[in-house]
Amino acid sequence: MVKLNRREFGRLVGGAGVAALSPVLFGHVAIAQGAAKIVIVGGGAGGATVARVLKSEDPQLDVTIVEERVIYTTCFNSNHYLGGFRTFASLQHSYDGLKELGITVVNDRAEDVDAAKRTVRLKSGGTLNYDRLVLSPGIGFKYDAIEGYSVQAAERMPHAWIAGSQTVLLKQQLEAMEDGGVVVMTVPGNPYRCPPGPYERVCMIANYLKTSKPKSKLVVYDAKMTFSKQALFEDAFRKYYEGIIDLNLTNEIDDFKVVRVDPKTMEVVTAAGIKMKASVANIIPPQKAGEIAQRAGCTEGDWCPVDPARFTSTKVENVYVLGDSSIAAEMPKSAFSANSQAKAVASDILAEVAHKKRFPPRYRNTCWSLLAADDSIKIGANYAPAEKDGKGYLKASGGFISQREETAVVRHKNFEESVAWYQAIILDAFNDKIDKPVKG
Ligand SMILES: Cc1cc2nc3c(=O)[nH]c(=O)nc-3n(C[C@H](O)[C@H](O)[C@H](O)COP(=O)(O)OP(=O)(O)OC[C@H]3O[C@@H](n4cnc5c(N)ncnc54)[C@H](O)[C@@H]3O)c2cc1C
């Protein structure tokens, strides 16, 4: 390929034309002079996959992940740890596999983005230049939506909705609780990370209480009227955990959205005015896009609008936003979705900067939920870009969901599938071949 420097390119298109060129064309000129620089903020399910695919498909690309954590702890399957079905170590993954592929991993926090200069400012003071920026920073919490809740309050009343020390804290609190204690869990309204996640957690905490603290109760206050896989979960609540779970869904009379908490007294208060003193309080607050997405100017309200065919930001040029931070409805916010979106993002970047063939995006999601030992259910669908009221979205098709009254063999097979999926996504995203024991 003939490489032109900026002056030669200017001569070809005419001096005045250079200044008038679109940023995309300028991007190509800068890229033609050396390896294209792709900076990815967030080395989780979405970001790590983008990096792994880009570098595998084109080793010449200069791919950098900015990730504030040295070890990534998966939220997915973290409920299994709470239920006693997984070790904590089995949820943890390093970036060594990605480094082996030649990906640069900068363990730092991205503080800001200058879209005009195409730079990312790091907490340590450094700056990274990019040709294309990918943001997959996951979620932030709307602490102010619940009076009394804060980063500090979460040290007494953990959310455990970003896995890591919060997950360990919740487990320790459950283990330290006396038999006969009351665990209170609060669930936000839509949209939030992992729609069926709270109800899988209900099963896993109830499983722990049933086996270790049988006189205890789990009280759930939910801001919603209905939830994902509801009939299947409610069957499991009755079949396995009768007398342990007290599920309170918002209805025409009572609003069970939690509005106030007091970490000193461990009191939880709902919009309907119900007060409950908790022995252990798992407060899952309302959520929004990871903070850097807002700083980069990519948010509209709480989340980031994107072109559903490419996951490019509709607000900031040369920036992609994927995973939980993006508005990708009808796709749910899940690791499976983020991994699927990452393939489309990588393909688009390869077409843009490395002139590879552009493939039409194919999106898919499956979410498994563990109800009890060997009993797992699933829901899933395919998604394609579509338009409604002049706005792009991802239209679901070919949806499937586990049936009620399925045989134990089917449910066991679902569980095996979910374990195989976990191993596959970890290899796909982190180039990490799992050798840690799943069970404790
Ligand atoms: C309890 C629970 C159970 C779940 N179970 C499932 C499941 O079974 N299946 C499933 O598919 N999904 C599941 N999920 C959802 C899944 O974990 C998320 O949807 C997925 O991780 C989203 O990927 P992401 O790349 O958007 O964000 P993340 O995976 O959270 O990655 C974001 C990364 O960005 C980093 N970061 C953020 N801001 C910055 C910054 N400014 N600078 C540097 N780094 C930054 C963070 O440290 C983090 O590592 C579950 C979630 C929970 C809470």
Side-chain angles (χ1 to χ4, degrees):
M1 187 174 79
V2 180
K3 291 185 179 177
L4 302 176
N5 65 29
R6 192 169 166 160
R7 190 180 302 155
E8 288 164 332
F9 185 81
R11 268 209 315 274
L12 269 181
V13 298
V18 176
L21 281 172
S22 74
V24 174
L25 262 181
F26 255 113
H28 280 232
V29 176
I31 290 158
Q33 291 171 334
K37 286 187 193 313
I38 314 300
V39 173
I40 300 163
V41 176
T49 308
V50 174
R52 207 277 303 151
V53 176
L54 284 176
K55 200 66 183 173
S56 305
E57 292 295 316
D58 188 346
Q60 301 305 314
L61 286 179
D62 180 345
V63 181
T64 300
I65 293 180
V66 182
E67 167 56 55
E68 58 187 331
R69 297 187 288 181
V70 177
I71 296 287
Y72 179 77
T73 307
T74 62
C75 280
F76 36 112
N77 285 9
S78 64
N79 286 331
H80 301 195
Y81 160 67
L82 296 174
F85 294 99
R86 254 188 187 271
T87 62
F88 187 70
S90 77
L91 303 170
Q92 297 206 294
H93 307 282
S94 81
Y95 290 92
D96 292 349
L98 294 181
K99 289 179 192 164
E100 274 167 28
L101 295 177
I103 293 161
T104 307
V105 179
V106 176
N107 280 127
D108 208 331
R109 182 175 170 79
E111 287 288 357
D112 220 337
V113 172
D114 186 329
K117 291 190 184 142
R118 285 196 250 153
T119 55
V120 176
R121 186 167 58 77
L122 304 175
K123 189 176 180 187
S124 63
T127 299
L128 296 172
N129 299 318
Y130 65 82
D131 293 302
R132 294 293 182 276
L133 175 65
V134 178
L135 299 179
S136 193
I139 53 166
F141 295 113
K142 296 172 74 174
Y143 287 106
D144 53 6
I146 302 173
E147 193 187 329
Y149 204 54
S150 62
V151 177
Q152 295 72 30
E155 291 305 310
R156 279 277 283 158
M157 301 174 130
H159 51 73
W161 218 242
I162 291 179
S165 56
Q166 278 275 302
T167 322
V168 173
L169 179 63
L170 179 57
K171 174 103 167 156
Q172 284 170 347
Q173 289 186 350
L174 290 169
E175 285 171 350
M177 184 181 82
E178 77 285 9
D179 191 5
V182 177
V183 182
V184 176
M185 184 193 293
T186 74
V187 185
N190 293 319
Y192 62 91
R193 161 174 280 184
C194 194
Y199 312 98
E200 179 184 63
R201 180 170 290 178
V202 168
C203 290
M204 292 296 96
I205 290 181
N207 186 69
Y208 171 73
L209 298 180
K210 183 178 168 178
T211 49
S212 304
K213 312 261 161 83
K215 288 187 234 143
S216 307
K217 292 263 173 298
L218 170 57
V219 179
V220 184
Y221 292 128
D222 199 324
K224 299 186 298 304
M225 297 179 122
T226 59
F227 60 88
S228 172
K229 299 189 256 192
Q230 185 168 344
L232 293 156
F233 276 115
E234 288 183 342
D235 284 349
F237 297 170
R238 277 188 295 272
K239 178 174 175 186
Y240 297 113
Y241 310 116
E242 188 76 66
I244 298 176
I245 299 165
D246 173 12
L247 174 67
N248 297 279
L249 290 177
T250 289
N251 54 43
E252 289 76 18
I253 301 159
D254 285 319
D255 183 348
F256 287 108
K257 179 174 68 187
V258 64
V259 291
R260 186 152 44 90
V261 296
D262 185 338
K264 286 204 186 80
T265 61
M266 292 296 284
E267 197 173 66
V268 173
V269 184
T270 71
I274 292 166
K275 294 181 181 170
M276 179 64 77
K277 195 169 156 48
S279 314
V280 173
N282 176 204
I283 309 296
I284 306 171
Q287 295 150 35
K288 58 183 181 178
E291 193 180 352
I292 189 67
Q294 194 211 334
R295 292 197 177 194
C298 293
T299 49
E300 209 169 83
D302 290 332
W303 308 98
C304 303
V306 294
D307 172 351
R310 303 170 61 208
F311 276 79
T312 41
S313 165
T314 57
K315 301 190 66 93
V316 185
E317 222 164 346
N318 298 317
V319 178
Y320 295 78
V321 187
L322 75 153
D324 290 354
S325 280
S326 65
I327 300 173
E330 302 170 344
M331 277 187 106
K333 297 185 187 299
S334 76
F336 199 122
S337 294
N339 175 260
S340 176
Q341 293 157 7
K343 309 284 170 66
V345 168
S347 164
D348 199 74
I349 293 174
L350 288 164
E352 286 268 312
V353 306
H355 311 292
K356 304 248 180 195
K357 187 171 165 10
R358 193 185 293 272
F359 294 97
R362 294 171 59 174
Y363 304 110
R364 192 171 170 75
N365 179 62
T366 304
C367 278
W368 290 268
S369 303
L370 190 59
L371 305 174
D374 264 346
D375 189 346
S376 176
I377 52 172
K378 63 181 174 181
I379 188 169
N382 297 319
Y383 299 88
E387 235 186 72
K388 194 163 50 185
D389 305 328
K391 278 196 165 178
Y393 78 111
L394 286 152
K395 187 175 178 185
S397 67
F400 60 88
I401 183 166
S402 292
Q403 299 302 299
R404 300 173 80 176
E405 314 287 341
E406 280 170 337
T407 64
V409 175
V410 171
R411 294 296 179 84
H412 172 71
K413 200 165 144 273
N414 286 344
F415 178 64
E416 285 188 330
E417 251 175 48
S418 75
V419 173
W421 167 75
Y422 186 88
Q423 292 187 320
I425 189 175
I426 293 304
L427 183 63
D428 198 45
F430 298 95
N431 192 32
D432 183 4
K433 293 172 202 70
I434 296 171
D435 58 1
K436 296 162 192 149
V438 169
K439 286 200 177 168

